[in-house]
Amino acid sequence: MPYFDYLPHIVLFTVGTLIGLEVSYKWHSEPFVNKKIEPIPLIIALIGGGLIVIYAPLGLLFLGFVVGMRPGYGVYETVLGILFALILWVILVII
Amino acid sequence: MNDILDLNSYIIGHVLFGDIVPYLTPFSLALVITIVVFTIFLALSKPELRSVTRFGEDVVRTTTVGKKEAKFRRFMTILCGVALIGVVTTGDIFNFTLFVSLVGITNVGIFAVVKDTHVLDAAFQYGLVMMICSLPLFGGVALILAKTGTLSLGVLAGIPGNPVLNVGRMLLLVGAVGEGALAPFFATKVEMIRAKGAPYINMMHLSSLMVFTRLIEILFIVG
Amino acid sequence: MKIQKQTKNRILAVLTTLPILIGIILNTPLVISVAILTFFVPPSTYYLGLVLMALPKSKKEEDEREKITFTGY
Amino acid sequence: MIYPAAGSMLYMLLELITAFLFGGLLLGLHRKIIARIQGRPGPPIVQHLIHTFKFYIKELTIPETSSMPLYVAIVLALSAVWVLAFLVGPVLLGPFSIIIMCYAVHKVSEHGIGLASGSPYTKMGSTRAVLSATAEMPLIVAPALVFFKTHTLVLSDIINYQILHGSLFMDLPLAAIATFILLLSKTPFNPFGIVWGKDIVSGYKTEHFGVIRGVMMFGEILGFFVLLWCFLTIFFGGIFNTPLTIMLTMIGVTIILGFICALTPMIAPYHSVMIQWIFALLALINVLFI
């Protein structure tokens, strides 16, 4: 099996991180201070986590958005998104 | 040619040349192409202007290799490339040792015209190491010949290893390491490459690493 | 006749990218494709980069380039 | 999904692009982990890829002191060597000896890159590159042990051997550790990275920026991927032999490397060489267990 089976995953993830970086700099131009969970990235992370189980490249695009956000932002959202994906995977695939 | 096949999966071609059979595997083809490309580029490049700073002075001087000096060193570089092609394509251990010593000689030649005391000192020490190491180099080959009655790598590849061959291999290793200025003797090399003339110095490093990679293959094939 | 640097870079970029494209179309044998990729991927990325570098990114930059002539050290 | 035939040009090119993007993300992850351990937010994971593409649109200036065709050609040689290693290794599963050759030539090009610009800092970096070429010692020990064990150096046969007899890590643990040290010495910010130490500005890379730095980074990313792949395939080939498992394990190994790089200081040149020698000699002890 070739490696480029995962080319869409990698490309979409990279694109997602780039978009995330750009957009989060639009959202936050102030110095990094707050450490609370924001609603919009959380929703995106949850969508990403859900989509990973169904169609992985698209899910990675949304997760990449949260991963790639400005340094310091999007950490909790990422963790929550991955946890959600794990829970969904356990429910759908294993059980 | 079983050991050669184990190393390379297949042989592209070989030249029947009496007892000596030069052969070409994907590995030696890659080596030859690398050496040819490097030799061409190194021979075409002009030497760099070396900036030199000294403690206590607030100036940066640039020096370069003189025209006459560059000419001789370029010639030695090309010769070293030719010797390297011999090292990687030959199918006979005795030829291998001859080419390796030729590589050593050309390496000293590259540095012989540098007008710099510490470089010449280092080159002199390297020359001493080379001369000392030619004893184990040829001695190892003689041992292998005495034990097996052949020097052709194609035949040696099919002969199973035994203690005498192992001693021969160790001698060959010590000899080639000394001739190519490899790991334990690299101290002289580090002193030598402080000289000017980037392309020529780079050839020396290339030669020792190419000898090294080919040496690994030969050590695997013998025995 | 002296060819301009940008034109030369463009020609070289095309020349180094062509073998790869030809190889994809003609489906060359294994050893040849390995050789082509090894020899032509780095130079083609280099020359494509040179061409990209010389393209003006904005109008303002273009004006600046005409103004300042940096001749090196 | 229609695949291009294995071994065709398109196939190899796609593999190359995948490896480049994935390797870039891995190096970004590596940097992020180091930053997190040191208590900084750190750059985003794509930062390494962004850097590589950024350098492609930056202006290239070539120092007047440089040795001209060599200055450009040696950088192209560096990335060509890793392209060859990638094609022979992960794509075609060919002879391992070619990858050894590629590593050796990579050392030569590091040396040449430093020499060609004529700057004292790059000269220092290249002198150290020759010094640290002693790290080639694990390179002769590990393949030798693998060859004595499996009687082959063709990668596909090594993988088959491991599928039949179990991973080589069980038989050659010390050789695996020596190879891991070799891998460590090629990652950025590592304790043995005397060639690009910040005490000599940026080592041999000091004078290289613009497009040529982009090409250099392209080669380095591929090199990181190939070395990781070789380490995993030669010593864990029995367990990790599909792309998915290999890629996931690569992420794991990168995290381990990140921890090591973040927690260790840069070692002085001679000590660095000495420590790598100690690990190589330890690997030689492994001969007794075969």
Side-chain angles (χ1 to χ4, degrees):
Chain A
M1 231 167 59
Y3 286 85
F4 60 77
D5 268 354
Y6 302 101
L7 188 57
H9 300 64
I10 294 166
V11 168
L12 283 178
F13 181 75
T14 314
V15 170
T17 44
L18 287 176
I19 297 171
L21 192 64
E22 282 297 313
V23 171
S24 66
Y25 266 107
K26 286 260 155 42
W27 286 345
H28 308 281
S29 48
E30 76 280 357
F32 174 59
V33 271
N34 58 335
K35 277 193 175 177
K36 54 177 189 276
I37 298 176
E38 294 169 80
I40 303 171
L42 183 64
I43 291 166
I44 292 173
L46 290 181
I47 292 172
L51 277 174
I52 274 192
V53 184
I54 302 160
Y55 181 59
L58 213 59
L60 280 175
L61 175 72
F62 282 97
L63 258 188
F65 182 90
V66 196
V67 171
M69 275 171 73
R70 231 189 104 173
Y73 295 95
V75 180
Y76 302 109
E77 288 89 336
T78 313
V79 174
L80 284 176
I82 293 171
L83 274 181
F84 179 65
L86 270 180
I87 293 166
L88 213 63
W89 182 69
V90 167
I91 292 170
L92 285 178
V93 179
I94 292 191
I95 301 173
Chain B
M1 290 193 172
N2 51 8
D3 269 349
I4 299 175
L5 287 181
D6 286 343
L7 284 167
N8 289 301
S9 76
Y10 68 95
I11 293 172
I12 294 173
H14 57 267
V15 186
L16 289 170
F17 192 57
D19 191 25
I20 314 153
V21 185
Y23 61 92
L24 207 61
T25 57
F27 173 57
S28 46
L29 185 68
L31 282 173
V32 168
I33 292 173
T34 315
I35 291 163
V36 170
V37 169
F38 263 84
T39 310
I40 290 171
F41 270 112
L42 294 180
L44 284 180
S45 312
K46 65 176 188 344
E48 88 284 17
L49 280 169
R50 166 63 44 73
S51 340
V52 186
T53 46
R54 283 217 184 116
F55 281 112
E57 284 179 40
D58 202 15
V59 280
V60 177
R61 299 161 196 283
T62 53
T63 52
T64 188
V65 181
K67 210 170 185 182
K68 213 173 171 186
E69 189 185 330
K71 216 172 170 181
F72 182 73
R73 292 175 78 181
R74 185 176 298 129
F75 169 68
M76 277 296 170
T77 305
I78 295 167
L79 202 62
C80 189
V82 174
L84 275 180
I85 292 173
V87 166
V88 299
T89 50
T90 179
D92 177 292
I93 309 186
F94 186 64
N95 284 358
F96 170 75
T97 54
L98 284 183
F99 280 124
V100 166
S101 19
L102 183 55
V103 165
I105 292 165
T106 48
N107 276 347
V108 171
I110 289 173
F111 291 92
V113 276
V114 180
K115 293 180 189 70
D116 212 336
T117 327
H118 68 267
V119 172
L120 283 175
D121 270 347
F124 173 68
Q125 276 153 13
Y126 172 46
L128 284 183
V129 169
M130 253 176 59
M131 274 196 259
I132 295 167
C133 282
S134 60
L135 178 69
L137 187 70
F138 290 103
V141 177
L143 254 183
I144 292 169
L145 176 65
K147 179 67 190 170
T148 61
T150 180
L151 282 170
S152 161
L153 280 173
V155 182
L156 278 171
I159 295 173
N162 64 53
V164 180
L165 269 186
N166 283 347
V167 174
R169 273 203 282 196
M170 292 322 285
L171 287 177
L172 196 65
L173 174 70
V174 172
V177 158
E179 294 282 339
L182 293 178
F185 301 114
F186 69 95
T188 57
K189 197 164 96 179
V190 173
E191 276 304 315
M192 274 155 83
I193 63 145
R194 287 181 200 277
K196 293 172 288 200
Y200 320 122
I201 300 165
N202 205 17
M203 191 66 193
M204 186 201 178
H205 197 183
L206 179 77
S207 72
S208 63
L209 282 172
M210 288 294 115
V211 168
F212 166 76
T213 33
R214 174 66 175 166
L215 182 69
I216 297 177
E217 200 202 357
I218 295 223
L219 292 182
F220 286 162
I221 289 172
V222 177
Chain C
M1 195 181 78
K2 196 157 166 64
I3 313 168
Q4 265 204 332
K5 219 170 191 178
Q6 175 69 351
T7 336
K8 195 188 101 190
N9 285 339
R10 278 195 183 144
I11 293 168
L12 278 170
V14 170
L15 277 185
T16 45
T17 326
L18 258 186
I20 300 170
L21 294 177
I22 290 172
I24 289 171
I25 294 162
L26 291 183
N27 219 347
T28 44
L30 187 75
V31 179
I32 297 173
S33 11
V34 169
I36 287 177
L37 281 181
T38 311
F39 276 107
F40 287 101
V41 165
S44 69
T45 47
Y46 174 65
Y47 285 112
L48 285 175
L50 280 186
V51 172
L52 272 180
M53 171 197 95
L55 291 178
K57 272 103 213 161
S58 60
K59 188 80 185 70
K60 195 178 146 204
E61 199 178 326
E62 202 172 356
D63 296 340
E64 263 177 23
R65 275 192 191 190
E66 282 167 5
K67 208 158 57 194
I68 306 163
T69 49
F70 177 69
T71 50
Y73 299 105
Chain D
M1 194 174 163
I2 306 157
Y3 284 126
S8 74
M9 187 86 126
L10 188 62
Y11 180 92
M12 291 184 204
L13 205 62
L14 282 172
E15 294 273 75
L16 207 63
I17 294 164
T18 314
F20 168 65
L21 288 176
F22 189 66
L25 287 177
L26 279 184
L27 282 177
L29 179 68
H30 179 256
R31 244 180 106 174
K32 184 87 178 174
I33 287 162
I34 291 180
R36 280 288 169 195
I37 290 168
Q38 294 172 346
R40 297 180 278 126
I45 289 174
V46 269
Q47 192 59 46
H48 204 83
L49 281 177
I50 294 178
H51 262 311
T52 312
F53 290 125
K54 179 192 80 181
F55 277 121
Y56 272 100
I57 48 171
K58 289 288 173 192
E59 190 159 2
L60 172 69
T61 51
I62 294 174
E64 210 176 41
T65 53
S66 65
S67 148
M68 198 20 220
L70 188 69
Y71 183 81
V72 175
I74 200 86
V75 176
L76 299 186
L78 179 88
S79 42
V81 151
W82 285 121
V83 170
L84 177 66
F86 176 75
L87 292 180
V88 171
V91 180
L92 300 173
L93 303 176
F96 184 59
S97 40
I98 294 186
I99 295 178
I100 299 175
M101 191 272 299
C102 288
Y103 187 86
V105 178
H106 160 251
K107 276 279 170 206
V108 177
S109 8
E110 258 183 11
H111 180 220
I113 289 167
L115 283 176
S117 69
S119 150
Y121 301 112
T122 60
K123 173 72 179 173
M124 200 53 139
S126 76
T127 309
R128 286 184 180 187
V130 174
L131 193 67
S132 76
T134 332
E136 72 209 18
M137 199 51 194
L139 206 67
I140 192 170
V141 174
L145 293 175
V146 170
F147 183 68
F148 293 149
K149 187 79 190 165
T150 63
H151 299 289
T152 177
L153 266 188
V154 182
L155 282 164
S156 55
D157 294 345
I158 293 177
I159 295 172
N160 287 338
Y161 177 91
Q162 293 185 54
I163 291 170
L164 283 178
H165 298 88
S167 291
L168 279 174
F169 179 71
M170 291 300 165
D171 304 313
L172 310 167
L174 293 173
I177 291 171
T179 318
F180 185 75
I181 295 295
L182 192 75
L183 176 64
L184 179 64
S185 73
K186 278 281 136 304
T187 47
F189 310 109
N190 71 75
F192 306 116
I194 50 173
V195 281
W196 49 60
K198 293 297 170 204
D199 49 343
I200 43 173
V201 189
S202 270
Y204 67 90
K205 298 177 188 171
T206 306
E207 294 287 334
H208 291 254
F209 30 79
V211 179
I212 212 154
R213 183 64 168 267
V215 179
M216 204 200 263
M217 285 175 91
F218 167 75
E220 281 170 357
I221 288 172
L222 271 185
F224 185 65
F225 186 93
V226 170
L227 284 176
L228 265 178
W229 183 89
C230 283
F231 174 66
L232 288 177
T233 310
I234 288 181
F235 293 107
F236 301 92
I239 317 167
F240 311 118
N241 43 32
T242 59
L244 185 63
T245 50
I246 285 182
M247 281 163 131
L248 289 178
T249 327
M250 274 177 180
I251 296 174
V253 176
T254 312
I255 291 171
I256 295 171
L257 286 174
F259 268 87
I260 294 173
C261 293
L263 298 175
T264 46
M266 174 90 73
I267 305 174
Y270 284 104
H271 293 177
S272 146
V273 170
M274 198 178 73
I275 289 170
Q276 293 184 54
W277 260 83
I278 288 171
F279 277 104
L281 291 178
L282 270 181
L284 270 180
I285 297 175
N286 225 152
V287 177
L288 302 175
F289 308 142
I290 294 180

